[in-house]
Structure formats: C-alpha cells, structure tokens
Amino acid sequence: MGLSSVLCSLNGQSHYACWLVLTGFLLDLADGAVARKLNACSALGAKLDDFADFTSFGLATALLLQVHSLLDGLLAIVYVLAVFTRLCFFSSGLPFVYRGLPCPYGASVLASICVLTGGSRVMMRIVAMVMVLFMVDQGFYPHDKVLESQAWKKLVYAGGVVALLLSGFPMASLYYLAWSLSYIFFPTVFWSHKAPSHQ
C-alpha cells in the first residue's frame, strides 16, 4: 500500500494516495492478528512490519504534503525522520504500551485531512507539525490489538472497512479522522482496555 501510494503521489493522484495510506492503516491493524492466528510470527516478520510501517506511514505519508518548495521539503524530511525515530528508539519497555504516538495514527490523520480539504497545503503543514510533536513526545499510548479485543473495537474496524468501500466520497474519511483522534486524545478512556481473558 505504501509503495502504491508513493507512485500515486508522484503521478499527482493524491486522492488515491491518501486512500492507499488509509488502507495500509487497516492492514497494519490486521497483520499482527493474522500472523498470531496462523502461528506465523517471526523475527523476519517483525522487520518486514517495520519496513512496511516506514514506507506507508513515513515516506508515503510525507509525500502527501506535496513538496513544492524548500520549506515543504524540509517538513517532509522532518516527518520521515520523526517516523524513523518513533519506530527505532521509542520502545517503552512495557507490554502493550507505546512511547510516542504510533505512526499509523498520525498517517491516518494526515491522509484524512488531505482528503477532506482537497490537499490544503496550509492545513497539511499544520497537521504534519502537530503529528511530529506527538510522535517524538515521551507520552504513553496503549497497544491495543483491535481485532483481538472487545467486540465494539472489532465493529470500529468493520466501520473502517465500510468507509474504505465508500472512498469515492471524501466525507468517508471523516470516520478515520474521528477514530484516530479518539486514540490520540483519549487513549486511556477508549483504547487501553485489554481483551477479556478466556478460561
């Protein structure tokens, strides 16, 4: 999804580029659940996951900023470096907890804003700078396995799939924006609860 989004951005197809990033967001939430279900977890898989995250939520998302000037280019580089830093150095050492905003949520916000505003460069710059601050912050965010958690979270995910099917309508991206902002601003209220144990 990330590589396809990059190609769309380079060809001026920003609408498709945004929705490919949002598709990557959904797949990122699903890949771990699928790997665990199939008992296919491995060190190589973890490395490939980081590569996919860096491509989709770093490079592809930075290109949504539409680099037309030196300042835009610098912001795109800073965004990519923030994602790189977040992926490499911000392990919390605690199970089920991230330090710094996970980059898929920052990418989801940026892609949603891009769709909703038609790629407003002013809005994109502001949102990108805010997402950079959240990613390099030392704050804690829950690592909640959405597809292996409470039923209502699975319904949230299903809503994301429906919104993806409605990608021809820009307002469908509002769903991803609301979802991501709820995680960013209310992580412990909505997203910190673990799945009930099965005995």
Side-chain angles (χ1 to χ4, degrees):
M1 293 301 107
L3 291 173
S4 298
S5 178
V6 167
L7 288 174
C8 286
S9 288
L10 293 177
N11 285 292
Q13 299 171 312
S14 61
H15 181 82
Y16 294 115
C18 291
W19 280 103
L20 285 164
V21 168
L22 293 173
T23 303
F25 172 76
L26 282 183
L27 293 176
D28 182 67
L29 293 174
D31 61 2
V34 171
R36 284 182 287 274
K37 186 73 173 176
L38 298 177
N39 195 26
C41 299
S42 67
L44 175 61
K47 291 177 182 177
L48 289 174
D49 185 65
D50 281 345
F51 172 76
D53 286 353
F54 181 72
T55 304
S56 298
F57 311 126
L59 296 176
T61 303
L63 284 176
L64 299 180
L65 297 172
Q66 304 172 42
V67 179
H68 296 298
S69 69
L70 178 60
L71 286 177
D72 290 337
L74 288 174
L75 178 57
I77 290 171
V78 168
Y79 190 90
V80 170
L81 290 176
V83 170
F84 179 78
T85 302
R86 169 63 191 75
L87 288 170
C88 291
F89 303 115
F90 278 22
S91 173
S92 69
L94 301 171
F96 305 111
V97 175
Y98 293 117
R99 177 172 290 171
L101 177 68
C103 51
Y105 288 93
S108 174
V109 170
L110 263 176
S112 300
I113 292 291
C114 187
V115 172
L116 289 168
T117 66
S120 166
R121 291 170 69 186
V122 173
M123 278 297 297
M124 292 294 289
R125 289 170 183 165
I126 294 171
V127 173
M129 288 187 284
V130 172
M131 292 302 105
V132 165
L133 293 175
F134 275 111
M135 282 189 286
V136 300
D137 183 57
Q138 297 291 305
F140 293 102
Y141 289 87
H143 177 195
D144 195 2
K145 302 180 178 86
V146 173
L147 290 178
E148 300 165 273
S149 190
Q150 293 103 321
W152 72 266
K153 293 175 184 174
K154 296 175 185 176
L155 287 176
V156 170
Y157 188 92
V161 174
V162 172
L164 185 63
L165 297 175
L166 298 174
S167 60
F169 303 96
M171 295 303 288
S173 63
L174 264 176
Y175 187 87
Y176 288 93
L177 183 61
W179 179 358
S180 299
L181 290 179
S182 75
Y183 179 87
I184 293 170
F185 292 108
F186 307 104
T188 56
V189 174
F190 295 117
W191 300 101
S192 65
H193 306 291
K194 305 298 183 294
S197 60
H198 299 288
Q199 300 181 356

